[in-house]
Amino acid sequence: MKKWFPVLLLLATAIVLLFLNLGQLGLTDPDEGSNAAVAREMVDSGDWTTPTLNGEPRFSAPPFVYWLMSAAYRVLGLSEMAARVPSAICMTALILLQYWFLTTTRGVFIALVGSLMLL
């Protein structure tokens, strides 16, 4: 259990900081709203190859972001929370990846501190 404690601590902290109240605040940033609208249009139109915003092609972000958001919409429904879940999952994965990397190169304590700083 002692070996898994830092990982569980990181996961619990990530859940509290990244996932709790994820959909309480509306989409505030113009880019966040635009990206969410592109993903919604992908779900509505069924066209997963050409991202569009208000019917016009939009290639300002990699399509993988739109695909993840569209998949979240299909699973969780159309909401602010569903638009943000892919980013929160990717951030959690990045934190765990940093922990693993720092554990192998610098040790458990530095890995935990570095991962908490990233979080």
Side-chain angles (χ1 to χ4, degrees), residues 73-85:
Y73 284 159
R74 294 189 74 167
V75 171
L76 302 171
L78 193 63
S79 67
E80 287 86 359
M81 185 210 44
R84 292 179 176 133
V85 162

Side-chain angles (χ1 to χ4, degrees), residues 11 15 20 26 41 44 52 58-59 76-77 87 108 112-113 118:
L11 283 174
I15 288 170
L20 198 63
E41 286 187 24
D44 290 344
T52 59
R58 179 179 169 97
F59 298 106
L76 302 171
S87 296
V108 174
L112 183 59
V113 171
L118 177 63

Side-chain angles (χ1 to χ4, degrees), residues 28-105:
T28 56
D29 187 69
D31 288 332
E32 184 182 30
S34 297
N35 290 342
V38 170
R40 182 189 45 80
E41 286 187 24
M42 276 188 167
V43 171
D44 290 344
S45 70
D47 181 5
W48 292 73
T49 56
T50 307
T52 59
L53 179 61
N54 299 324
E56 297 294 320
R58 179 179 169 97
F59 298 106
S60 62
F64 190 65
V65 172
Y66 303 135
W67 295 339
L68 290 175
M69 290 172 78
S70 297
Y73 284 159
R74 294 189 74 167
V75 171
L76 302 171
L78 193 63
S79 67
E80 287 86 359
M81 185 210 44
R84 292 179 176 133
V85 162
S87 296
I89 291 171
C90 289
M91 183 64 186
T92 303
L94 178 65
I95 291 162
L96 294 175
L97 183 64
Q98 175 163 324
Y99 176 78
W100 170 79
F101 174 75
L102 288 175
T103 300
T104 59
T105 59

